[in-house]
Amino acid sequence: MSPPKKISIVVPFWNEKETLPVLLERLSSVFAGREEAWELLLVDDGSTDGSAEWAVAQAGRHAHVRVLRLSRNFGHQMAITAGLDRADGDAVVVMDADLQDPPEVIPELIAKWREGAEVVYAVRRSRQGETWFKTFLASSFYRVFRRLAKVDVPMDAGDFRLVDRSVVDALKEMRELHRFMRGLTSWVGYRQTAVEYDRAPRLAGETKYPVWKSARLAFDAITSFSASPLRWILLLGLLVCLLAALWVVYVMIVAMVDPGRLARGWASLLAVMFFLGGVQLLGLGMIGQYVSRIFEESKHRPLYLIRTDTRAKGSN
Ligand code: UDP
Ligand code: MG
């Protein structure tokens, strides 16, 4: 018989004093009686409310609890990264500390994983306790991101998901600084599937993602996955040059048909300005193309990822 599988639950938290004890309790009852070994890897993202001290105390007495403390607040995405880097389970579940992601969904994630899926993301069937404004912003963001980044991120999935060891290892190879973990997890490929769940309201405390922070994450996500905005400058430059050419043609026709209508010098001045504007945009757009290549190179993403390498038995 193969040894039992181990599941690591990575939970980044920042000042979640009220929710952590409930989280631990609910996780324990989810795993009670299950065959898998499990660990709760709490990643303290620079908490100042005593929650980190609480977590460390639990690690001392609870066999399943492990705590990583970051030296300061590095942000949610970095805390997830730290957890993924250190988790050693055969599969890793990432979830929020505020119990918006119910631990009771984990068995469903594990079931899909056992069926062969390598990424099982939990998709929100419904959201409770969030304003329509935030929901609207979130869904607009996913639409724009999917179109620009050409990465198939699932609509309405947060960071709550299970990833297989092979995917964790792939993610470890992605060391870019601006990290949008949902995008990266889709980017790596592998067999991905979804499980639906109802998103609960935050159990206690305040959201750590006010609108401006969500907007910053969205901007980071788009700019780190897409160089399209740089290409738009080039297109705009071409368009302006084209308009300038049309303008010149128009002016020449007017000059032949009805020369009295044109003030002297004005039309040619405008044509020169138009052309220069277009040429400048073209120049910027060209620079943009090189910048985007530098940017792509600087991410040092793996060139490809291999799922398996199979060869005939006995050959080598
Ligand atoms: N979080 C974190 N570092 C941060 C901000 C948030 O580790 O700088 C954690 C937070 O404690 C929670 C998760 O990230 O476990 C998601 O944050 P939150 O629930 O506040 O976001 P929301 O659900 O409101 O979008
Ligand atoms: Mg939350």
Side-chain angles (χ1 to χ4, degrees):
M1 230 187 76
S2 56
K5 301 281 188 193
K6 178 173 177 184
I7 313 284
S8 299
I9 320 282
V10 167
V11 178
F13 71 94
W14 182 35
N15 298 340
E16 302 281 6
K17 196 168 53 187
E18 293 106 322
T19 64
L20 286 182
V22 188
L23 175 76
L24 178 55
E25 203 171 291
R26 278 172 60 180
L27 271 175
S28 303
S29 47
V30 164
F31 278 96
R34 286 194 66 92
E35 56 176 305
E36 294 92 1
W38 65 286
E39 84 176 338
L40 168 60
L41 179 47
L42 290 166
V43 185
D44 161 41
D45 188 16
S47 299
T48 50
D49 69 342
S51 47
E53 288 73 14
W54 179 87
V56 169
Q58 296 311 304
R61 72 175 82 104
H62 202 301
H64 297 286
V65 178
R66 178 175 162 199
V67 184
L68 276 185
R69 294 192 65 178
L70 304 187
S71 60
R72 64 170 168 83
N73 181 256
F74 280 90
H76 186 199
Q77 304 293 306
M78 285 303 177
I80 293 178
T81 305
L84 286 173
D85 284 348
R86 300 296 183 98
D88 56 5
D90 300 294
V92 179
V93 174
V94 177
M95 63 192 296
D96 289 352
D98 61 355
L99 292 158
Q100 284 197 285
D101 308 332
E104 292 72 25
V105 178
I106 293 176
E108 289 175 52
L109 302 179
I110 297 177
K112 291 275 186 203
W113 174 59
R114 294 221 177 240
E115 284 167 22
E118 288 152 321
V119 176
V120 190
Y121 41 84
V123 178
R124 299 153 192 169
R125 192 185 300 133
S126 68
R127 289 169 172 242
Q128 295 159 37
E130 277 176 55
T131 59
W132 70 265
F133 185 61
K134 196 163 174 177
T135 315
F136 167 76
L137 284 184
S139 75
S140 324
F141 162 73
Y142 281 115
R143 256 172 258 274
V144 173
F145 182 80
R146 283 163 64 97
R147 174 152 299 185
L148 286 184
K150 303 197 175 57
V151 176
D152 199 16
V153 286
M155 294 288 286
D156 250 341
D159 285 298
F160 186 21
R161 62 189 62 209
L162 176 148
V163 289
D164 181 70
R165 169 59 32 200
S166 52
V167 178
V168 177
D169 290 342
L171 287 172
K172 280 181 170 178
E173 287 190 47
M174 318 262 247
R175 300 321 289 181
E176 59 203 75
L177 286 173
H178 290 274
R179 310 175 67 74
F180 181 55
M181 293 310 293
R182 288 162 226 179
L184 293 177
T185 322
S186 300
W187 187 90
V188 295
Y190 295 91
R191 280 183 291 266
Q192 311 217 351
T193 187
V195 158
E196 286 197 334
Y197 76 107
D198 295 302
R199 190 153 169 90
R202 177 176 253 287
L203 184 78
E206 290 284 301
T207 173
K208 311 298 184 291
Y209 269 99
V211 169
W212 66 267
K213 229 170 163 180
S214 304
R216 201 172 64 185
L217 180 65
F219 190 76
D220 268 0
I222 289 171
T223 50
S224 69
F225 270 89
S226 168
S228 303
L230 290 173
R231 209 164 33 244
W232 298 341
I233 306 177
L234 202 60
L235 291 178
L236 193 66
L238 283 174
L239 187 76
V240 172
C241 283
L242 189 75
L243 284 177
L246 287 177
W247 167 252
V248 170
V249 171
Y250 167 75
V251 165
M252 278 161 72
I253 292 173
V254 173
M256 278 187 279
V257 179
D258 183 10
R261 256 180 69 191
L262 290 173
R264 286 183 67 86
W266 180 73
S268 51
L269 201 67
L270 205 61
V272 169
M273 273 175 57
F274 230 157
F275 254 124
L276 276 182
V279 167
Q280 278 169 355
L281 279 174
L282 273 182
L284 271 182
M286 274 317 287
I287 293 175
Q289 286 308 296
Y290 287 93
V291 171
S292 86
R293 275 158 185 71
I294 296 171
F295 160 69
E296 296 295 345
E297 295 284 350
S298 70
K299 284 192 273 195
H300 292 295
R301 284 194 191 165
L303 302 184
Y304 51 79
L305 295 160
I306 291 175
R307 192 203 306 275
T308 51
D309 174 357
T310 315
R311 59 178 103 196
K313 267 201 192 106
S315 69
N316 51 35

